Amino acid sequence: MSAPPAAPPPPRANMGTAVSKRKTLRNEAMSSVAAKVRAARAFGEYLSQNHPEGRNGSDDVPIRTWFPKENLFSFQTATTTMQANFRKHLRMVGSRRVKAQTFAERRERSFSRSWSDPTPIKADSFHDSRESHDLQDSCGTLDGDFDLNWEAEKELEAVACDGEDFIPPKIMLISSKVPKAEYVPTIIRRDDPSIIPILYDHEHATFDDILEEIEKKLNIYRKGCKIWKMLIFCQGGPGHLYLLKNKVATFAKVEKEEDMILFWKRLSRLMSKVNPEPNIIHIMGCYVLGNPNGEKLFQNLKNLMNPYRVAFESPLELSAQGKQMIETYFDFRLYRLWKTRQHSKLLDYDDIL
C-alpha cells in the first residue's frame, strides 16, 4: 500500500515571510530618511561655518521678493497699526473689564441658548452678576416718589440750560462691534460742538458702564443738562438691537429681562424734561423696522421710558429721512467716504481726515 501524499506547507509560513519583508523594507526606508536628515544637517552646518554671508540674518545679501519690502510691510500691517494707535488714544467704555471664562462656563452658555434666537442668553441669574446688583441698587427708587420730584428736576434742568449760548447736547453711542468703529468719532460734524461721541466695548462693557459714561459726559458738557437727541450706532436687524454681548433687545426681552428693563428706565432719566418736542433716539447700523417686531420693540421701549416723551426713529440711510439723520451727527462727505471703506482691509486714515 502506497504512502499518502505529503501535505502542503501551512499558509502561516508564507504570511511570516511577507511580514518579514515589510519590516525589512520599512527599516530600510527609515534608515534612508535618517541618512538624508543627517546629510542635510551636516550640509547646513558646513554652510554656516564656511559661508556666513548666506545666513538669513545677514544684511549683506538683500532679500529678493516679487513685492517691494517696504510696501509689503505697509500692506500687511497698515490696518493693525492704525487700529492699535487709535485705541491708545480713544479709550472704549468698559474695555478694562475683561471677564475670564472657563471652558465649562463657555460650554454651558453655548448649550443653554434658545435655538430660535441667533445670540446666546447668559445662564447666570440676575442676582448673581455684579453689574445687575449695581443696576438694581441704583434704580431701586425709580417707581417710588417719581412724580413728586418731576417738577423740581424740571426746574433744575431749566436753570442749567438757561442762556442764549446753550445748545442741547446730542449723545452718540457707538458700539465697537460696528466695523471700523474707531474712526466714527473723527467723521462727526465739526461745526456742532454739542455732539458727544461715546465709543464702548461691545464685548466687556455693561449697561452700568454706558450709563455712567453718559452722565459724566453730560456733566462735562454742562452740569445739569439732559439729552435732547441721541444716536445709538450698533449692529442688529429687523426687530432687534445687538447692544452688548449676549444682550439683544427684542420686544419680548425688554419686557422680561430685568437688567435690560432697568437700563432703559435709567436712560429715560437722562432725557430732557424741558424739551418742548419729544426727545429723539435714532438707531443706525441696522434697520430695526424691517418687520412688525421692530414697531413692537419701539412701542415697548416708549412704555418703559414713560413719563418721559421719547420718539424712536430708524430710517433707511438711502432715504430722505436717513440723509437728514446722518447730517444731524456727521459730516456727510466724510461719512460717505467712511461708509465706502467700512469693510475694506485697507483704510487710508489720511483720506478720512
Side-chain angles (χ1 to χ4, degrees):
M1 188 174 181
S2 61
R12 290 188 177 182
N14 296 334
M15 293 177 61
T17 304
V19 170
S20 62
K21 286 183 178 180
R22 286 197 297 269
K23 288 183 178 180
T24 302
L25 292 173
R26 184 177 60 184
N27 292 336
E28 291 178 354
M30 292 176 63
S31 61
S32 176
V33 171
K36 291 179 181 179
V37 171
R38 288 194 297 271
R41 187 176 299 166
F43 184 67
E45 293 176 356
Y46 167 77
L47 287 178
S48 63
Q49 293 173 2
N50 299 286
H51 301 280
E53 69 276 3
R55 288 179 290 184
N56 293 336
S58 174
D59 295 332
D60 298 332
V61 180
I63 300 176
R64 301 183 182 277
T65 63
W66 67 273
F67 204 81
K69 184 177 180 181
E70 61 276 5
N71 292 342
L72 182 64
F73 173 81
S74 300
F75 180 82
Q76 292 175 341
T77 61
T79 304
T80 304
T81 304
M82 285 190 295
Q83 291 179 353
N85 290 338
F86 272 95
R87 287 197 171 98
K88 289 179 183 177
H89 302 288
L90 187 63
R91 181 179 65 85
M92 287 190 294
V93 176
S95 60
R96 291 173 296 175
R97 181 179 288 109
V98 180
K99 300 177 182 178
Q101 295 182 354
T102 64
F103 173 77
E105 290 173 342
R106 293 197 301 270
R107 183 178 61 180
E108 179 184 358
R109 288 171 181 168
S110 175
F111 281 95
S112 66
R113 62 177 290 178
S114 170
W115 294 106
S116 61
D117 195 335
T119 55
I121 302 175
K122 272 191 177 180
D124 298 340
S125 64
F126 172 76
H127 298 287
D128 290 339
S129 59
R130 184 194 66 80
E131 60 270 17
S132 297
H133 272 298
D134 296 340
L135 281 171
Q136 189 182 39
D137 295 339
S138 60
C139 300
T141 59
L142 277 179
D143 298 328
D145 301 330
F146 186 81
D147 294 335
L148 299 178
N149 298 328
W150 177 270
E151 291 299 328
E153 293 178 358
K154 185 176 179 180
E155 291 180 4
L156 289 175
E157 182 188 351
V159 172
C161 301
D162 189 21
E164 296 180 356
D165 60 337
F166 174 73
I167 304 175
K170 306 179 186 72
I171 293 292
M172 181 187 293
L173 201 59
I174 310 158
S175 168
S176 64
K177 194 74 173 176
V178 175
K180 302 292 190 298
E182 63 270 25
Y183 297 103
V184 173
T186 66
I187 61 174
I188 62 177
R189 289 180 53 182
R190 300 177 187 179
D191 59 344
D192 190 349
S194 67
I195 300 174
I196 306 172
I198 299 175
L199 178 62
Y200 70 91
D201 191 337
H202 173 89
E203 296 289 324
H204 306 114
T206 64
F207 289 136
D208 203 30
D209 291 331
I210 295 173
L211 293 169
E212 288 177 0
E213 189 69 14
I214 293 175
E215 290 186 58
K216 184 176 75 173
K217 296 286 186 178
L218 287 174
N219 286 330
I220 293 174
Y221 181 75
R222 178 170 293 197
K223 190 172 180 64
C225 70
K226 302 293 182 179
I227 303 171
W228 290 46
K229 289 185 179 180
M230 182 176 185
L231 173 69
I232 299 179
F233 203 163
C234 66
Q235 290 188 337
H240 69 278
L241 287 173
Y242 200 10
L243 296 172
L244 294 173
K245 185 178 181 181
N246 299 335
K247 290 297 176 183
V248 184
T250 64
F251 77 93
K253 289 185 177 181
V254 297
E255 291 180 337
K256 294 185 297 184
E257 295 192 6
E258 192 168 357
D259 55 346
M260 195 173 296
I261 293 173
L262 293 174
F263 167 72
W264 291 102
K265 284 189 174 182
R266 279 190 66 187
L267 181 61
S268 70
R269 299 197 66 179
L270 299 177
M271 308 304 288
S272 175
K273 300 181 181 68
V274 300
N275 186 0
E277 302 292 332
N279 302 305
I280 298 177
I281 296 181
H282 289 110
I283 307 295
M284 280 188 68
C286 56
Y287 185 50
V288 182
L289 300 177
N291 64 25
N293 290 338
E295 289 285 356
K296 294 180 182 179
L297 171 62
F298 283 173
Q299 187 57 50
N300 287 352
L301 293 179
K302 289 180 185 179
N303 295 338
L304 282 177
M305 301 180 82
N306 273 337
Y308 295 85
R309 294 189 304 161
V310 179
F312 286 85
E313 296 182 4
S314 178
L316 290 170
E317 293 185 15
L318 297 178
S319 65
Q321 291 182 339
K323 185 174 185 294
Q324 182 179 4
M325 175 184 66
I326 294 171
E327 291 178 337
T328 302
Y329 303 94
F330 297 100
D331 182 308
F332 191 70
R333 183 188 64 83
L334 294 179
Y335 178 82
R336 286 191 303 174
L337 179 60
W338 172 83
K339 192 71 175 177
T340 57
R341 305 189 183 186
Q342 184 180 11
H343 299 282
S344 172
K345 292 182 180 180
L346 292 176
L347 181 65
D348 191 350
Y349 185 70
D350 293 334
D351 291 346
I352 292 293
L353 286 179

